[in-house]
Amino acid sequence: MHIKLLPTLGLMLPLFTAVAQANVEKTIFLAPAPVTVPSEEPDLDDLGLERLSPQRPVVRTRLNASFPTTAVPGGTDSWFFLENLNPGQRYEVRVCWLATQPTTFTLTTYVPKEIEDKSLLSSFSTYAAARLATLDTSLQVNTIPRRASPHSREDPLDPAPTSESVLFLHVQAAADYFSTDQALMQNVPPVAVDLILDPFLFNVFPRSLVPTAGWIVLVTALAVVLGNWVVKEVGRAVNDARRQSVLEELKKK
């Protein structure tokens, strides 16, 4: 009996492979205790930053990048607002970008009080002012009306302070390539990215990886079943060959 496994495996392996088309950087954190948002201090308001929350966990955007320098080793700064978090729950924020745009990303989260640091506040204010300049003129005020909590029955644009777990996300993007194209070296193009907020199940396992874990368990179970079948078939083939050999020896006698 001949068992032709190699051709079968050759056909099956492509089903379990994928092409890597993007790079990923991430930061993991515990959601802090609730604070009053918006803050009573104007400098700590979110000023129209793009938001991520468990209800809106993905933001697709373009981030400015620059080559690192002594003065700015991390590249260009961008800021985002993480809201409606569950206090004490573990989360991760991932930034995914095309491998065709080599970039080094650094992600850091801060509670509102930490933004009072002069260096952070300067970066934050510069980015917020630049972003406000691109928004509708009716929104260019010190406080951007925020969305109410999804559990609130109030006006969804009610700017009244609420207590919730929030963080500021600081993203630094540094170009990580060299090119003979002087235009690319002098003007780094914006990087297309996906920012993803991913909660951990039981503070242990990222929720987005549950389907992947399911597939791994399924493939492992199938491999065990297939492996047992192969072992049995090979054992039976060996036993049949041994019995045939014994019968031939007896016939010769």
Side-chain angles (χ1 to χ4, degrees):
M1 178 180 180
H2 300 284
I3 302 176
K4 299 181 179 180
L5 291 178
L6 290 179
T8 303
L9 290 176
L11 293 174
M12 293 178 62
L13 286 177
L15 298 177
F16 303 101
T17 60
V19 179
Q21 298 179 334
N23 294 323
V24 178
E25 187 59 66
K26 65 182 179 180
T27 182
I28 299 174
F29 58 89
L30 289 176
V35 296
T36 300
V37 180
S39 169
E40 295 179 356
E41 300 179 45
D43 288 339
L44 297 185
D45 202 351
D46 61 330
L47 292 172
L49 303 183
E50 288 195 85
R51 306 165 186 271
L52 290 95
S53 69
Q55 295 74 37
R56 185 173 179 261
V58 180
V59 168
R60 176 163 292 184
T61 186
R62 289 180 178 272
L63 299 183
N64 291 327
S66 60
F67 286 102
T69 63
T70 303
V72 189
T76 301
D77 294 340
S78 298
W79 289 84
F80 297 84
F81 191 61
L82 311 181
E83 62 179 352
N84 294 333
L85 304 176
N86 184 23
Q89 183 171 5
R90 190 180 302 277
Y91 293 84
E92 73 175 24
V93 173
R94 299 190 299 273
V95 57
C96 306
W97 71 101
L98 293 176
T100 53
Q101 293 184 287
T103 311
T104 298
F105 284 94
T106 303
L107 282 70
T108 313
T109 55
Y110 297 98
V111 297
K113 279 291 183 182
E114 292 178 297
I115 306 299
E116 294 178 355
D117 177 86
K118 289 184 179 180
S119 60
L120 292 177
L121 186 57
S122 175
S123 168
F124 178 85
S125 300
T126 300
Y127 177 81
R131 176 166 170 77
L132 279 173
T134 67
L135 297 178
D136 188 280
T137 54
S138 64
L139 295 180
Q140 292 184 25
V141 291
N142 190 54
T143 301
I144 298 297
R146 65 185 304 280
R147 293 191 304 275
S149 167
H151 305 295
S152 173
R153 297 182 181 179
E154 300 176 359
D155 185 339
L157 293 181
D158 182 4
T162 60
S163 180
E164 63 179 82
S165 177
V166 298
L167 285 170
F168 288 103
L169 173 66
H170 183 202
V171 180
Q172 296 175 290
D176 191 18
Y177 64 83
F178 177 81
S179 173
T180 55
D181 187 336
Q182 290 302 312
L184 282 176
M185 296 301 295
Q186 294 175 2
N187 299 294
V188 178
V191 184
V193 303
D194 282 343
L195 281 165
I196 304 169
L197 175 66
D198 195 6
F200 277 54
L201 292 178
F202 307 108
N203 281 2
V204 174
F205 198 73
R207 187 170 63 187
S208 65
L209 293 183
V210 170
T212 302
W215 276 108
I216 292 175
V217 171
L218 178 60
V219 170
T220 301
L222 290 175
V224 170
V225 172
L226 180 61
N228 289 335
W229 177 80
V230 168
V231 169
K232 290 179 180 179
E233 290 298 316
V234 170
R236 186 169 62 181
V238 170
N239 290 334
D240 289 345
R242 184 179 300 167
R243 282 196 297 268
Q244 185 66 28
S245 176
V246 170
L247 290 175
E248 290 179 357
E249 289 294 331
L250 291 177
K251 288 180 181 180
K252 290 180 181 180
K253 294 180 180 180

